[in-house]
Amino acid sequence: MPAYLRNRYGQPNAIADAAWEVLNKTVFNGKVIRDGAESIIAGRLTLDSATVWTKIRLNYNPKDLLPAWKLMVEASDAMKNSCFFISF
């Protein structure tokens, strides 16, 4: 994954790498849904209440994302020149 992140952000950063490891174990774990939960807003329109098009059940405990958030904030100053790293 570090090579992907270097390509994505244009520079290596161990803190951002650690944040993505958390994301890999939570949001992108692939246990229930291959690519993670989807937004109900982006779901396919249907009047069928039994449809299974949109998977909104989370594959993880939302609290498990908090370390990733903290790490991304911590990495934001070093990554501020990367157009693909969103910092607030």
Side-chain angles (χ1 to χ4, degrees):
M1 185 173 305
Y4 166 77
L5 296 175
R6 244 186 336 275
N7 289 336
R8 179 180 175 95
Y9 299 136
Q11 65 188 48
N13 186 282
I15 298 169
D17 289 355
W20 273 89
E21 282 302 319
V22 173
L23 294 175
N24 194 36
K25 292 176 183 172
T26 55
V27 175
F28 301 114
N29 69 27
K31 289 181 182 175
V32 177
I33 306 166
R34 189 190 69 170
D35 295 324
E38 302 164 319
S39 168
I40 192 68
I41 294 168
R44 183 178 229 176
L45 296 175
T46 181
L47 296 175
D48 181 2
S49 64
T51 189
V52 292
W53 288 107
T54 302
K55 310 279 190 209
I56 58 172
R57 186 170 151 255
L58 297 178
N59 300 332
Y60 56 91
N61 182 336
K63 288 182 181 180
D64 293 343
L65 283 178
L66 293 176
W69 181 272
K70 181 178 182 255
L71 289 163
M72 288 291 197
V73 169
E74 190 177 331
S76 65
D77 190 49
M79 304 298 282
K80 65 185 174 193
N81 292 325
S82 171
C83 63
F84 294 107
F85 190 90
I86 300 170
S87 60
F88 301 94

